[in-house]
Amino acid sequence: MSANENDSVTEGTDKFAVGEEAIQRLVLPTAALVLSILYVNSVHGRISMSNLRYPYAVIGVLVVLTLGVYFQEFRAIWRIRRKEDRPPFVDAITDRIHKWRKSIALAVFGFIYLWLVDFLGFFVSSTLLIASLMVVAGERDYRRVILITVTVLVVIRLFLNFLNLSPPEGLFL
């Protein structure tokens, strides 16, 4: 490998270094914050406030710490950009999002599914989730999407009947 090729490889690695490091440090606090918000949403009004003081206090501390982590990351990125000639943080994030778009879509659809399952019911929201994930994964044959979605839901229904369980009911069951 020549010196120019070696420099281009190093530059390619450095291009994502700032954004990738920030993303890796922000993933866990962000996930914990989202799960905390979902927890608050699911228990609000169902459990008396006297029983929720400790969980809400923990969630409050988590929110403060997560905001602190975000502040530190953005401050560090700003300092790096001022001191060194690195590509902008936004470009690195955009490139990573493009590379991870299927994984990001999976996470987004998962959160939407968790929100919809109480409202629409298990089978309607599961139908939407399975079909959406297949399309995002690249499946373009609508007959195959329908066949696999129906097959998976029938197997789940039989399994639930066998175990004598009832899935969450919503607007459409």
Side-chain angles (χ1 to χ4, degrees), residues 40-49 52 56 118:
V40 168
N41 186 35
S42 67
V43 300
H44 185 70
R46 295 181 184 175
I47 301 175
S48 68
M49 191 58 182
L52 291 175
Y56 280 11
D118 285 336

Side-chain angles (χ1 to χ4, degrees), residues 1 5 10 13 26 48 55-57 61 75-76 78 83 86 91 100 112 118 124 151 153 157 167:
M1 200 188 283
E5 291 175 11
T10 306
T13 305
L26 295 176
S48 68
Y56 280 11
V61 169
R75 189 178 66 185
W78 180 257
K83 291 180 181 178
R86 291 197 181 202
D91 292 339
W100 288 30
I112 291 171
D118 285 336
V124 173
T151 304
L153 292 175
R157 185 62 179 171

Side-chain angles (χ1 to χ4, degrees), residues 6-115:
N6 195 17
D7 289 341
S8 67
V9 170
T10 306
E11 287 174 9
T13 305
D14 288 341
K15 179 178 181 183
F16 296 114
V18 175
E20 184 176 0
E21 291 170 8
I23 288 172
Q24 289 172 353
R25 286 190 293 261
L26 295 176
V27 166
L28 184 61
T30 303
L33 186 61
V34 168
L35 290 174
S36 299
I37 291 169
L38 290 174
Y39 173 78
V40 168
N41 186 35
S42 67
V43 300
H44 185 70
R46 295 181 184 175
I47 301 175
S48 68
M49 191 58 182
S50 62
N51 293 333
L52 291 175
R53 287 188 184 141
Y54 178 74
Y56 280 11
V58 170
I59 291 170
V61 169
L62 180 64
V63 167
V64 170
L65 292 175
T66 301
L67 292 175
V69 169
Y70 270 92
F71 177 75
Q72 287 178 349
E73 289 303 320
F74 287 125
R75 189 178 66 185
I77 289 166
W78 180 257
R79 285 181 181 168
I80 289 171
R81 284 186 59 200
R82 283 189 340 192
K83 291 180 181 178
E84 300 176 14
D85 187 25
R86 291 197 181 202
F89 175 70
V90 174
D91 292 339
I93 294 297
T94 304
D95 290 341
R96 279 297 178 196
I97 287 173
H98 180 71
K99 187 174 182 177
W100 288 30
R101 67 185 178 276
K102 289 182 181 178
S103 298
I104 293 169
L106 174 68
V108 168
F109 283 136
F111 286 119
I112 291 171
Y113 174 77
L114 290 174
W115 180 72

